[in-house]
């Protein structure tokens, strides 16, 4: 996989410098409380997945949260990965894997994930952060090349581990209050798109506000555009998360096939076709335009059918 990386601090410095140059007054370490911002023309709630502003009106926004099955921890390392790195390690309690990607010359992000039974089997639920890091450094010694892992100083056994929350909102605005970024929607980290999506939200909102229309119309346009743009990304994220939750389905394949299917993990078709057959079709499709077209058509069709079925199940 290819990609571009930048450290969060550096990105925030760039954005803050740009905001200042446009005359924005920045305030840090200032909790936005119940009074919000009295007298504001527009309040943009970009306060992340746990958004306090959104939570205050959760009923209005129609917030839905689905927790993934696997446990993950978000770590850093001084090892600089020069390419997106997937490392899978077999343990007596099942597989555990790490996604490593560099963010600059000083280090990389390293997200470690496993099934709940592996997490408890390895004792990661009982380990404090330092003990957990020592165990993970051993399990991933070959890719870390002797580098250390760093955590976020979470306290208590298992505290640095979470399950990923996929969040959606039925509506994104309420009067002059509008949601943006993770406060409005989240997509599983395995597609590495959350920051881009938040920035694209901001661009679309700014664009909509430039139109000479009343505020509610501008906010509706923003929401409509962004929800439409998000659909394929949310689908890719859902299937990608599910691929990892179904790892036993793929992990026994010959390594080349397994990694080829890892690259296909966003596919709505893959969960419904035996993996080896899918791989063969995919390879053949590489040589045949007709098969490629069929695959492109079948994927969204299956995704729509599955979505319709799950909507019907929920409605029923
Ligand atoms: C394990 C993991 C790995 C990821 N890796 C990637 C990746 O590689 N690439 C990528 O693009 N995305 C990645 N993401 C997703 C990405 O982190 C988010 O999508 C992105 O940070 C969303 O940006 P945001 O500005 O909406 O929210 P956030 O980055 O969460 O920012 C919200 C801000 O609001 C502040 N805030 C919260 N409450 C208040 C309050 N009451 N008052 C004042 N301020 C408040 C917070 O301090 C924070 O600064 C990853 C996510 C996870 C979980």
């Amino acid at each position: 996989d290819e990609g571009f990386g930048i450290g969060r601090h550096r990105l925030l410095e760039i954005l803050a410098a740009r905001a200042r140059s446009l005359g924005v007054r920045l305030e840090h370490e200032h909790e936005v409380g119940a009074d919000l911002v009295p007298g504001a023309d527009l309040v943009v709630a970009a306060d992340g997945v746990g958004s306090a502003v959104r939570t205050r009106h959760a009923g209005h926004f129609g917030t839905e949260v689905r927790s993934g099955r696997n446990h993950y921890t978000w770590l850093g390392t001084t090892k600089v990965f020069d390419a997106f790195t997937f490392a899978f390690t077999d343990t007596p309690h099942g597989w555990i894997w790490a996604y490593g990607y560099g963010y600059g010359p000083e280090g990389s992000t390293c997200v470690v994930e496993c099934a709940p039974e592996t997490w408890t089997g390895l004792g990661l639920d009982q380990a404090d952060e330092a003990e957990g890091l020592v165990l993970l450094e051993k399990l991933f010694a070959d890719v870390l090349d002797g580098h250390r892992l760093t955590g976020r100083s979470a306290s208590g056994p298992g505290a640095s581990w979470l399950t990923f929350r996929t969040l959606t909102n039925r509506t994104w605005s309420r009067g002059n209050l509008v949601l943006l970024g993770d406060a409005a929607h989240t997509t599983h980290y395995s597609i590495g798109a959350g920051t881009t999506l938040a920035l694209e939200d901001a661009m679309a909102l700014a664009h909509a506000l430039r139109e000479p229309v009343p505020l509610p119309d501008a906010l509706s346009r923003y929401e409509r555009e962004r929800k439409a743009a998000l659909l394929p990304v949310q689908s890719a994220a859902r299937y990608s998360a599910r691929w990892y939750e179904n790892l036993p389905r793929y992990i026994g394949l010959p390594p080349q096939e397994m990694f080829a299917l890892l690259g296909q993990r966003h596919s709505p078709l893959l969960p419904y076709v035996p993996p080896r057959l899918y791989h063969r079709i995919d390879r053949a499709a590489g040589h045949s335009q007709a098969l490629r077209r069929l695959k492109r058509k079948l994927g969204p069709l299956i995704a729509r059918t599955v979505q319709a079925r799950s909507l019907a199940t929920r409605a029923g």
Side-chain angles (χ1 to χ4, degrees):
D1 272 23
E2 286 181 29
F4 300 96
I6 181 169
R8 263 163 215 273
H9 290 294
R10 181 72 197 116
L11 178 62
L12 289 175
E13 275 167 16
I14 294 169
L15 293 174
R18 172 73 178 148
R20 272 194 206 98
S21 76
L22 294 172
V24 176
R25 194 182 83 231
L26 299 179
E27 286 184 24
H28 294 283
E29 305 296 326
H30 175 108
E31 175 114 20
V32 176
D35 55 339
L36 272 180
V37 192
D41 295 323
L42 176 69
V43 178
V44 180
D47 50 350
V49 58
S51 171
V53 178
R54 182 200 64 228
T55 307
R56 209 170 298 134
H57 309 290
H60 169 84
F61 288 115
T63 308
E64 272 193 32
V65 181
R66 290 179 178 210
S67 284
R69 180 171 183 271
N70 288 350
H71 291 271
Y72 77 87
T73 184
W74 191 350
L75 306 171
T77 171
T78 46
K79 160 86 187 173
V80 180
F81 294 111
D82 52 9
F84 206 103
T85 302
F86 298 95
F88 293 86
T89 301
D90 198 6
T91 78
H93 305 282
W95 289 83
I96 184 164
W97 55 97
Y99 317 74
Y101 44 100
Y103 57 75
E106 65 280 15
S108 303
T109 299
C110 189
V111 180
V112 179
E113 182 181 328
C114 62
E117 50 280 12
T118 309
W119 189 60
T120 45
L122 290 172
L124 288 164
D125 58 331
Q126 300 295 326
D128 65 23
E129 189 174 70
E131 293 163 342
L133 291 182
V134 170
L135 176 59
L136 296 178
E137 280 163 6
K138 272 195 206 132
L139 290 172
F140 296 105
D142 51 344
V143 284
L144 288 172
D145 284 337
H147 286 267
R148 307 292 306 268
L149 288 169
T150 44
R152 304 176 140 204
S153 312
S155 59
S160 55
W161 292 82
L162 296 168
T163 55
F164 187 80
R165 289 177 292 166
T166 298
L167 181 139
T168 54
N169 285 282
R170 194 182 55 240
T171 179
W172 288 11
S173 66
R174 180 180 190 271
N176 70 342
L177 169 64
V178 65
L179 306 179
L180 183 150
D182 271 17
H185 50 77
T186 61
T187 44
H188 192 255
Y189 51 78
S190 62
I191 65 162
T195 308
T196 306
L197 295 174
L199 288 170
E200 285 173 350
D201 283 357
M203 280 154 41
L205 179 60
H207 191 71
L209 290 170
R210 246 179 251 130
E211 297 296 314
V213 294
L215 183 64
D217 295 350
L219 297 186
S220 310
R221 176 179 168 179
Y222 154 71
E223 177 177 330
R224 219 173 30 248
E225 270 180 19
R226 291 306 295 150
K227 277 186 171 168
L230 274 165
L231 276 180
V233 192
Q234 286 168 325
S235 160
R238 236 184 356 259
Y239 286 106
S240 175
R242 210 205 277 180
W243 193 94
Y244 288 101
E245 291 179 351
N246 287 336
L247 192 74
R249 189 168 188 257
Y250 307 105
I251 198 81
L253 297 173
Q256 253 179 330
E257 288 185 26
M258 138 89 184
F259 273 91
L261 293 185
L262 176 64
Q264 295 281 322
R265 65 190 182 279
H266 314 120
S267 160
L269 208 53
L270 181 52
Y272 303 98
V273 178
R276 298 207 77 169
L277 175 63
Y278 183 99
H279 179 65
R280 251 174 275 144
I281 297 174
D282 192 54
R283 279 192 55 190
H287 305 294
S288 149
Q289 254 201 1
L291 267 177
R292 258 203 311 276
R293 267 203 304 274
L294 180 68
K295 200 178 144 220
R296 265 205 306 272
K297 272 193 190 149
L298 272 180
L301 191 72
I302 290 191
R304 276 201 299 275
T305 313
V306 172
Q307 208 173 15
R309 210 184 298 154
S310 82
L311 278 177
T313 316
R314 259 190 278 162

